[in-house]
């Protein structure tokens, strides 16, 4: 919550109210949306990690996604600095990584829900 207020909301509220247009505020709004999706993905991955009925073969994938999501911002800044990528280029990489992690986490979540429903709906004749 503190990150949201200090890094996203306050600069956008104070700076975007000015008369001059700046692309930085558009980028801040995109980063805020990506951050929101990132936090939802992290919550989903932590929920999957704490499940007792998840397959043991999927657990390393969940843990590696959690590690990637935890260190994503540091890795993005490192990549941007090493390869001299512009801020919008880093934003594009951020979108791609978040989207990929979200798709994988959602796929795992849906498979777990289907698995639970198929076990719960077994009918014996």
């Amino acid at each position: 919550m503190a990150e949201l207020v200090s890094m996203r909301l306050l600069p956008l509220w104070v700076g975007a109210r000015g008369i001059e247009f700046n692309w930085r505020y558009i980028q801040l709004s995109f980063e805020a949306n990506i951050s929101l999706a990132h936090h939802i993905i992290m919550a989903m991955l932590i929920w999957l990690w704490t499940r007792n009925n998840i397959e043991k073969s999927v657990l390393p994938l969940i843990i590696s996604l959690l590690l990637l999501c935890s260190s994503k911002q540091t890795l993005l800044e490192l990549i941007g600095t090493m390869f001299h990528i512009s801020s919008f280029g880093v934003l594009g990489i951020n979108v791609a990584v978040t989207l990929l992690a979200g798709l994988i986490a959602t796929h795992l979540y849906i498979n777990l829900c289907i698995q639970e429903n198929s076990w719960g709906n077994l009918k014996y004749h």
Side-chain angles (χ1 to χ4, degrees):
M1 187 66 170
E3 178 204 7
L4 174 69
V5 171
S6 65
M7 300 299 290
R8 309 278 191 244
L9 183 65
L10 194 60
L12 189 60
W13 182 260
V14 172
R17 290 178 46 170
I19 296 173
E20 256 184 60
F21 174 78
N22 193 348
W23 282 102
R24 178 70 186 144
Y25 302 116
I26 301 294
Q27 184 178 0
L28 276 174
S29 64
F30 285 145
E31 286 175 356
N33 289 326
I34 294 168
S35 178
L36 177 65
H38 174 77
H39 283 43
I40 292 170
I41 292 166
M42 285 289 291
M44 187 186 317
L45 286 170
I46 290 171
W47 182 81
L48 284 169
W49 183 49
T50 60
R51 300 291 298 182
N52 294 340
N53 59 348
I54 195 141
E55 294 180 21
K56 299 298 179 192
S57 62
V58 179
L59 208 53
L61 177 62
I62 293 172
I63 292 171
S64 61
L65 277 174
L66 274 170
L67 290 174
L68 174 72
C69 288
S70 298
S71 59
K72 181 181 79 163
Q73 194 61 36
T74 306
L75 292 174
L76 285 174
E77 289 179 15
L78 182 68
I79 289 170
T81 304
M82 285 178 55
F83 297 112
H84 304 290
I85 300 174
S86 69
S87 59
F88 277 102
V90 172
L91 182 67
I93 295 170
N94 193 359
V95 167
V97 169
T98 305
L99 185 65
L100 181 65
L103 288 174
I104 293 171
T106 305
H107 178 72
L108 292 172
Y109 174 77
I110 289 172
N111 280 342
L112 182 69
C113 289
I114 289 172
Q115 195 176 47
E116 283 181 355
N117 284 339
S118 66
W119 287 344
N121 293 334
L122 290 177
K123 294 183 180 179
Y124 298 102
H125 296 286

